[in-house]
Amino acid sequence: MGNDTVLSTAARTPQQTRHTVTGDLDVAAVHRLRSGFAAALDSSDVARPGLDLDLGGVTFMDAAGLGAVMWCRQHALRAGFACVVDEASPAALRLMKLTGTHDLLRGFAAAPLAGGAPV
């Protein structure tokens, strides 16, 4: 990840774990994001089936970054976890809308993604 990109993980509730990404989500960030997410997923308690991705602090996201987010979702689903993006910066939301992945990544989250009108 770039020098300003950070991935942090925290339990939100007994049913959810939140993964927060800040900074640039680009090709330089992909390996670290995947590694951090996989480690958090592998160490997650089975009582926490919900994984929320917070991309609200992402300042830049390219196709490689979106691919990493999609990889995280796929990895979580294979392990039996729900995985949704519950916050997205304007940069992340724009790319998700352009590629048609915003509905897939949003899943069945009740609240609209941050960064604009409900999607």
Side-chain angles (χ1 to χ4, degrees):
M1 286 184 168
N3 292 335
D4 62 341
T5 306
V6 176
L7 170 67
S8 61
T9 303
R12 286 178 84 180
T13 70
Q15 296 299 314
Q16 292 177 303
T17 301
R18 183 180 190 95
H19 304 279
T20 303
V21 181
T22 58
D24 293 348
L25 187 47
D26 56 13
V27 69
V30 169
H31 178 71
R32 190 163 171 206
L33 176 65
R34 285 183 179 187
S35 296
F37 186 84
L41 183 65
D42 293 341
S43 68
S44 290
D45 187 331
V46 290
R48 287 193 187 121
L51 298 170
D52 296 334
L53 297 176
D54 177 355
L55 305 179
V58 171
T59 53
F60 172 81
M61 187 162 99
D62 64 9
L66 179 60
V69 171
M70 294 299 293
W71 179 92
C72 291
R73 179 184 179 275
Q74 184 178 23
H75 191 76
L77 292 174
R78 283 185 184 158
F81 290 80
C83 182
V84 297
V85 174
D86 67 351
E87 296 286 335
S89 68
L93 184 59
R94 180 176 182 271
L95 185 58
M96 291 184 330
K97 283 185 174 184
L98 284 172
T99 59
T101 56
H102 61 286
D103 286 335
L104 179 64
L105 291 169
R106 198 177 104 188
F108 295 102
L113 292 172
V119 291

